[in-house]
Amino acid sequence: MRMSHAIRSTALSALVAAATFGAVGAALAFENDIFDDSGEVKAESNPWSVFQFGYSAYKSGHKDQAVEAYRYAAENGQLGATWKLARMYAEGDGVARDDYEAFKFFSEIAKQDVEPGSPEESYMSDALVALGSYWKKGIPGSPVKPNAAAAQEYYMRAAANYRNPNAQFEMGNMFLKGEGVKASVRQAGRWFQLAAEKGHAGAQATLGNLLFQSGKVVRGLAMMTAALERASPNDRPWIRGMQEEAFALAAEADRRTAIALADDILTKGNQ
């Protein structure tokens, strides 16, 4: 005998409710294993388990619990938790934005000994780039004042040791402008090339502009045009300005050839 539509709907609702209650009950049980009655993480909690709980809490939108879990895990050696806290403070994600607090967490990561190629490489690499940026611009109302030499040191560690394309791009800019280092177009081009090979649109555009200015008009314009297509929304305005200025200066024949070459770069991934 076929089950009626109403009976089937009732049965399905009951199954969904049971599954939901079971999932919520399991989550609450896990939460009770992590936190005490005052809302603090229990001292005997396993740091890795607390880190996992923090990740689940963050994903489900309970960022207040995630912060407490990450803080405990970070204090007990979980580098990923330290990095996540740094990012949350840097971006105002679930907490009030506090660049100096983020700076302190990133600094804790930078003190660690992380081998290139290890599972924790991405945390270290990103932290070094963040610290380089903080030292380059400074943090208002904090002891961190603009210091090009300090910025260069952190960017160099990330660029050379961990081959971070963002750090390589920043190193290129520092050599191009003579910030914290002696100005050198050759050195700048070397760092831009390394970052461009990893798909960094800003590095591709800047390297293309250097080529354009050195007389390699078609190649340079093609690289800027391809970079504009690949660029993130944040980078697109300044890359567009650079590309349009060069485009206006180029001869019509060079423009057409560059557009065709840019299409080839985008299709085949060449530079």
Side-chain angles (χ1 to χ4, degrees):
M1 181 182 295
R2 286 188 172 184
M3 186 182 294
S4 71
H5 177 73
I7 294 175
R8 281 183 308 189
S9 297
T10 301
L12 179 59
S13 297
L15 286 171
V16 170
T20 302
F21 179 80
V24 171
L28 289 174
F30 187 30
E31 183 178 330
N32 289 335
D33 287 341
I34 298 294
F35 294 98
D36 60 24
D37 293 338
S38 66
E40 300 292 329
V41 178
K42 294 180 180 179
E44 67 273 15
S45 297
N46 178 278
W48 174 244
S49 296
V50 176
F51 180 38
Q52 289 179 304
F53 172 81
Y55 179 79
S56 297
Y58 180 89
K59 285 294 186 181
S60 63
H62 299 292
K63 294 183 180 180
D64 54 338
Q65 291 186 341
V67 169
E68 292 306 314
Y70 286 145
R71 195 178 298 278
Y72 175 87
E75 290 171 352
N76 288 273
Q78 288 296 322
L79 204 63
T82 307
W83 175 82
K84 187 59 183 176
L85 279 171
R87 276 278 147 229
M88 291 178 78
Y89 277 104
E91 298 163 12
D93 181 14
V95 293
R97 178 171 176 174
D98 189 330
D99 286 321
Y100 187 52
E101 192 69 13
F103 173 87
K104 289 187 285 187
F105 281 119
F106 283 130
S107 296
E108 286 301 313
I109 297 173
K111 294 175 185 176
Q112 307 306 311
D113 183 18
V114 175
E115 289 292 325
S118 73
E120 295 178 324
E121 175 183 331
S122 61
Y123 303 136
M124 174 63 81
S125 179
D126 184 71
L128 292 172
V129 174
L131 289 169
S133 297
Y134 281 133
W135 280 115
K136 184 177 181 180
K137 299 176 183 177
I139 301 175
S142 83
V144 182
K145 307 303 179 186
N147 186 325
Q152 187 268 343
E153 179 183 341
Y154 284 106
Y155 285 143
M156 180 62 83
R157 281 180 62 188
N161 296 346
Y162 302 102
R163 297 178 174 83
N164 183 295
N166 292 322
Q168 291 171 339
F169 172 63
E170 293 296 343
M171 284 301 304
N173 279 324
M174 296 193 87
F175 273 109
L176 189 62
K177 300 172 185 177
E179 297 176 335
V181 293
K182 183 178 179 181
S184 171
V185 175
R186 181 183 295 274
Q187 285 294 326
R190 172 176 172 267
W191 287 112
F192 287 139
Q193 178 67 35
L194 289 172
E197 288 172 355
K198 298 179 181 68
H200 193 290
Q204 292 170 345
T206 310
L207 182 59
N209 190 45
L210 289 177
L211 290 172
F212 181 88
Q213 292 178 8
S214 70
K216 298 179 180 178
V217 174
V218 171
R219 186 67 179 173
L221 188 55
M223 287 186 67
M224 284 185 275
T225 303
L228 181 59
E229 290 297 316
R230 293 170 169 168
S232 67
N234 288 337
D235 289 330
R236 198 164 289 134
W238 69 266
I239 293 177
R240 178 180 289 110
M242 181 184 291
Q243 188 265 359
E244 288 180 350
E245 183 178 348
F247 206 77
L249 294 172
E252 181 63 27
D254 288 339
R255 294 178 189 175
R256 293 177 181 176
T257 306
I259 291 172
L261 182 55
D263 288 339
D264 190 55
I265 291 173
L266 291 167
T267 301
K268 299 180 181 178
N270 297 327
Q271 291 183 26

